């Protein structure tokens, strides 16, 4: 049974792009169906339209009431026929309705070795800045199942990289982002095998 994938992304959607490439070149037995973004100008939304996915811009701008936004995101994702949801650099908290509709089938990638450097306020560059400030000798990325609590869900897969002396935000971020695509692919395959 091949997975039916949907995505949420706020900016580039790099993990989503890697998964769709893997679907098209046979590395992953799945069908990409839809992508929604809270950011109407996100490169991920433009790319998804080009890639022929169903797309939607869903944010507080259109749905000021968080419950109504949660419902709208759930309805868009479920009507697409997807059975698995991937958060690909999605910077908003997911609500209970979406989580209930995709129970145990929502994956998120976070650019640190959770539980370190995770939680509310920990996203994008802030994560790498926190790692550099902590003096940790290693960092990496984590794919976890998503629960209502931010970055609290069970870990599916992790991949480590060294933090090198002289590292800057940009050099550490580049080293972590270089491993994220393969890590997400590994995690989705593991979920598919369950
Ligand atoms: N219910 C859940 N929703 C989301 C989770 C999760 O684990 N449970 N993970 C995040 C992704 N993420 C870390 O991997 C993350 C995203 C955003 C934030 C955050 O603090 N966001 C700010 C708003 C930032 C903005 O508007 O750009 C906030 O909510 O105040 C922390 C961690 C995705 N959703
Ligand atoms: N807390 C979530 C988070 O910080 N996710 C991180 O944001 C970046 C998004 O890049 P992208 O927009 O190019 O996909 C990725 O590095 C991802 O791990």
């Amino acid at each position: 049974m091949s997975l039916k994938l949907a995505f949420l992304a706020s900016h580039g959607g790099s993990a989503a792009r890697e998964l769709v490439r893997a679907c098209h070149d046979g590395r992953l037995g799945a069908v990409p169906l839809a992508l929604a973004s809270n950011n109407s100008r996100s490169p991920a939304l433009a790319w998804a339209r080009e890639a022929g996915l169903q797309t939607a811009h869903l944010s507080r701008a259109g749905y000021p009431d968080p419950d109504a936004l949660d419902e709208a995101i759930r309805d868009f994702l479920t009507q697409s026929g997807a059975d698995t949801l991937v958060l690909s650099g999605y910077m908003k908290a997911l609500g209970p309705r979406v989580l209930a509709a995709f129970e145990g089938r929502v994956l998120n990638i976070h650019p640190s070795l959770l539980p370190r450097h995770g939680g509310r306020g920990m996203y994008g560059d802030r994560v790498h800045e926190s790692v550099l400030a902590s003096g940790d000798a290693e960092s990496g990325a984590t794919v976890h199942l998503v629960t209502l609590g931010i970055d609290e869900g069970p870990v599916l897969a992790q991949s480590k990289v060294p933090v090198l002396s002289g590292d800057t935000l940009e050099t550490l971020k580049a080293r972590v982002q270089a491993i994220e695509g393969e890590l997400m692919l590994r995690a989705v395959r593991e979920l598919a095998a369950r």
Side-chain angles (χ1 to χ4, degrees):
M1 193 267 299
S2 67
L3 293 183
K4 299 184 189 73
L5 299 177
F7 306 97
L8 290 173
S10 294
H11 303 294
S14 51
R17 295 177 194 234
E18 177 59 19
L19 289 176
V20 170
R21 261 193 300 275
C23 292
H24 292 163
D25 67 17
R27 287 175 293 141
L28 181 62
V31 183
L33 293 172
L35 180 142
S37 180
N38 60 301
N39 171 7
S40 60
R41 290 192 305 282
S42 70
L45 210 46
W47 158 79
R49 285 194 195 105
E50 283 297 306
L53 275 65
Q54 297 175 51
T55 59
H57 166 227
L58 298 168
S59 74
R60 295 290 289 277
Y63 299 88
D65 170 24
D67 294 333
L69 177 58
D70 187 24
E71 260 179 32
I73 295 171
R74 179 207 53 205
D75 295 349
F76 169 74
L77 296 172
T78 50
Q79 68 75 36
S80 76
D83 57 26
T84 302
L85 175 60
V86 174
L87 306 188
S88 179
Y90 187 62
M91 302 308 177
K92 298 297 184 185
L94 214 51
R97 294 169 187 76
V98 174
L99 289 170
F102 290 87
E103 194 173 357
R105 313 284 303 179
V106 185
L107 297 84
N108 175 53
I109 187 156
H110 183 81
S112 77
L113 298 174
L114 291 175
R116 290 184 65 69
H117 312 290
R120 184 76 69 169
M122 279 300 173
Y123 55 93
D125 291 356
R126 295 173 175 212
V127 178
H128 304 296
E129 284 159 354
S130 173
V131 171
L132 290 169
S134 72
D136 288 0
E138 63 181 9
S139 185
T142 302
V143 175
H144 63 94
L145 289 175
V146 174
T147 56
L148 209 52
I150 299 288
D151 297 336
E152 295 175 359
V155 170
L156 274 179
Q158 282 189 321
S159 190
K160 295 180 177 176
V161 299
V163 179
L164 305 174
S165 61
D167 258 336
T168 62
L169 166 63
E170 293 311 321
T171 56
L172 177 59
K173 181 163 81 173
R175 194 172 308 120
V176 172
Q177 287 198 327
I179 56 148
E180 289 189 19
E182 193 53 40
L183 176 66
M184 180 57 89
L185 187 53
R186 175 157 53 98
V188 172
R189 284 195 186 120
E190 278 169 30
L191 188 70
R194 286 186 175 192

